[in-house]
Amino acid sequence: AEAQAAQRQHAAALVSLQAALELAPPPGPSAADERRAVRRREGLALLELERYEEAGLLFDALIDEEPGGMEDVEAWASLGVCMAALRQPEAALSCQKQVQRIRAASASVP
């Protein structure tokens, strides 16, 4: 999927990512992280295909449902892009404020 995305074959990458999600990663301590990474790449493929509503729903789910989602800078930033594309400037601004809050908090941690 990454090679397809690099070649700007986003529709093919999306199909590959969705198939990977159906197969699920092997059980283990990193399974949740791997699933989250695949879902994030799926959202980015949807963004590239200008399927902003679907991508926004996916990023929103990553934030709300996945462990560590509230601190996921990439998901918040991508959700902001979706909201801006969907002409929701207040929601886009709220997402960017969350990105700034997370970055400021992580910068203050030694």
Side-chain angles (χ1 to χ4, degrees):
E2 288 187 39
Q4 292 165 322
Q7 296 173 0
R8 307 205 49 80
Q9 297 174 354
H10 302 292
L14 181 60
V15 170
S16 296
L17 290 165
Q18 289 169 336
L21 282 170
E22 286 179 23
L23 292 174
S30 65
D33 291 338
E34 290 179 37
R35 178 173 158 40
R36 183 176 189 76
V38 170
R39 291 185 75 203
R40 185 182 294 117
R41 287 194 301 269
E42 179 184 9
L44 294 173
L46 288 166
L47 264 178
E48 289 293 333
L49 293 169
E50 298 180 4
R51 292 167 55 179
Y52 302 116
E53 190 169 332
E54 289 173 79
L57 290 170
L58 194 145
F59 289 121
D60 190 49
L62 277 172
I63 292 165
D64 288 342
E65 298 169 8
E66 298 285 334
M70 289 302 291
E71 303 305 313
D72 188 336
V73 171
E74 275 189 62
W76 279 108
S78 298
L79 180 58
V81 170
C82 294
M83 294 298 100
L86 293 169
R87 298 192 169 132
Q88 306 261 340
E90 296 85 12
L93 182 59
S94 177
C95 291
Q96 294 312 310
K97 286 181 180 179
Q98 184 70 4
V99 167
Q100 291 175 341
R101 185 198 65 74
I102 295 167
R103 286 186 177 154
S106 65
S108 65
V109 174

